[in-house]
C-alpha cells in the first residue's frame, strides 16, 4: 500500500522549503552491498529531468565533475587494488587521488567514504583528453564492469540517497545542474542503474509509484 508522507516530519532531514512529496514504499530495499537501505522515494525524481546521455552532451563540458566525488569505502578499496595499473593509465600518482578526508556513514557501502581530489577545475579522474571519467575508460579498456570501481553516488547522480529516502541531488533542488530539465526524467534516465544496485522488484515498485504519482 503506497502512502503519502507530508514534509513536516522531514524538515530536519532536508530543509524542505517547498512541500516535497515523499512516498513510502511497501517495504525497505537494501542495495546489492546491503546498504543503503531505501524505504521512501522523493517524487521529484519522477518530475524533474536531466540530459542523461552525458557523453553526447555538447554544452555541459562535464560540469558536474568539477568538484570531485565521494567514493564509498567498498569502491575505494577496489580502486586501490588496481592502483598500479591505474597510475600508469592516468599518469597521476595515487597519493594525489583522494583528499584524505574520511567521512563515516553507516548507509554508505563499506561504512564511509573518501573524497576524490579536485585539481585544475575538475575531479582528479576527469578525462582531460576526452569526455567523462578516467575510471570508466580504464574499466572499459580492461574489460571490467565500471560498477566495480565507480562509486554508487557517482553512478546514480543526479539521484542520491539520505536517511532511507531516494531523491534528487542538491544540484537538482537548487537548480544549479546545467543540464536540468533536458532529456528524460531522473528516474527514467537512471532506471537501469537503480535496477543494478537494488534489483528488479525495486524498479517495478518504483514504476508503480511513478504511475501512482502521475495519476494523483
Ligand atoms: S549529468 Fe548533465 S552536467 Fe553532468 S555530465 Fe551529464 S549531461 Fe553533463
Amino acid at each position: 500500500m503506497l502512502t503519502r508522507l507530508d514534509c513536516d516530519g522531514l524538515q530536519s532531514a532536508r530543509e524542505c522549503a517547498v512541500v516535497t512529496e515523499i512516498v513510502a514504499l511497501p517495504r525497505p530495499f537494501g542495495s546489492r552491498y546491503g546498504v543503503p537501505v531505501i524505504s521512501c522515494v522523493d517524487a521529484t525524481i519522477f518530475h524533474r529531468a536531466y540530459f542523461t546521455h552525458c557523453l553526447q552532451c555538447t554544452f555541459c563540458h562535464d560540469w558536474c565533475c568539477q568538484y570531485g566525488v565521494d567514493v564509498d569505502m567498498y569502491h575505494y578499496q577496489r580502486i586501490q587494488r588496481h592502483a598500479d595499473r591505474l597510475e600508469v593509465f592516468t599518469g597521476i600518482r595515487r597519493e594525489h587521488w583522494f583528499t584524505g578526508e574520511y567521512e563515516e556513514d553507516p548507509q554508505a557501502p563499506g561504512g564511509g567514504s573518501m573524497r576524490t581530489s579536485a585539481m585544475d577545475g575538475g575531479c582528479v579522474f576527469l578525462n582531460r583528453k576526452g569526455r567523462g571519467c578516467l575510471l570508466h575508460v580504464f574499466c572499459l579498456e580492461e574489460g571490467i564492469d565500471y560498477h566495480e570501481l565507480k562509486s554508487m553516488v557517482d553512478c546514480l547522480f543526479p539521484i542520491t540517497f539520505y536517511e532511507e529516502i531516494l531523491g534528487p541531488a542538491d544540484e537538482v533542488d537548487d537548480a544549479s545542474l546545467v543540464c536540468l530539465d533536458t532529456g528524460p526524467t531522473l528516474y527514467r534516465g537512471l532506471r537501469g542503474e537503480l535496477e543494478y544496485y537494488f534489483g528488479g522488484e525495486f524498479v517495478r515498485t518504483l514504476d508503480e509509484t511513478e504511475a501512482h504519482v502521475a495519476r494523483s
Side-chain angles (χ1 to χ4, degrees):
M1 208 273 301
L2 302 174
T3 58
R4 270 176 213 255
L5 301 176
D6 68 42
C7 199
D8 283 350
L10 294 167
Q11 292 280 352
S12 62
R14 278 310 294 260
E15 309 291 334
C16 288
V18 296
V19 170
T20 300
E21 187 181 359
I22 308 290
V23 182
L25 302 178
R27 69 169 181 85
F29 290 84
S31 81
R32 63 192 301 129
Y33 313 113
V35 291
V37 172
I38 303 295
S39 58
C40 296
V41 59
D42 177 332
T44 305
I45 71 168
F46 304 125
H47 301 307
R48 301 304 297 267
Y50 82 114
F51 195 83
T52 302
H53 308 292
C54 302
L55 297 185
Q56 290 147 37
C57 180
T58 56
F59 60 84
C60 78
H61 311 293
D62 296 316
W63 176 89
C64 54
C65 304
Q66 63 186 302
Y67 304 113
V69 68
D70 293 330
V71 175
D72 57 70
M73 295 312 287
Y74 175 95
H75 291 93
Y76 174 83
Q77 281 144 14
R78 278 152 185 76
I79 289 171
Q80 299 306 331
R81 285 185 198 161
H82 293 271
D84 293 344
R85 294 175 68 77
L86 263 173
E87 275 188 335
V88 175
F89 183 79
T90 60
I92 304 167
R93 299 221 322 252
R94 67 193 74 186
E95 56 266 32
H96 302 306
W97 295 345
F98 295 92
T99 65
E101 293 160 40
Y102 173 72
E103 188 180 333
E104 189 168 344
D105 178 1
Q107 281 296 309
S113 65
M114 297 285 278
R115 183 91 186 160
T116 63
S117 304
M119 59 182 208
D120 306 329
C123 174
V124 67
F125 292 118
L126 181 60
N127 183 5
R128 268 95 178 162
K129 296 195 184 96
R131 288 291 315 279
C133 177
L134 285 174
L135 291 176
H136 202 125
V137 181
F138 174 81
C139 287
L140 293 176
E141 295 202 1
E142 297 278 320
I144 302 168
D145 179 340
Y146 63 86
H147 297 100
E148 179 69 7
L149 295 190
K150 289 182 73 174
S151 73
M152 202 172 163
V153 290
D154 193 0
C155 293
L156 284 178
F157 183 87
I159 282 179
T160 190
F161 44 86
Y162 56 94
E163 297 176 2
E164 297 202 11
I165 301 171
L166 188 77
D170 291 344
E171 292 83 350
V172 174
D173 284 341
D174 66 17
S176 62
L177 181 61
V178 293
C179 69
L180 199 57
D181 297 328
T182 65
T185 63
L186 305 188
Y187 174 56
R188 286 290 151 184
L190 287 158
R191 188 181 185 279
E193 291 294 337
L194 290 166
E195 184 166 15
Y196 173 83
Y197 290 114
F198 295 95
E201 185 194 345
F202 181 70
V203 290
R204 287 191 297 276
T205 303
L206 290 184
D207 291 347
E208 189 192 313
T209 313
E210 180 191 41
H212 176 82
V213 167
R215 282 195 302 272
S216 51

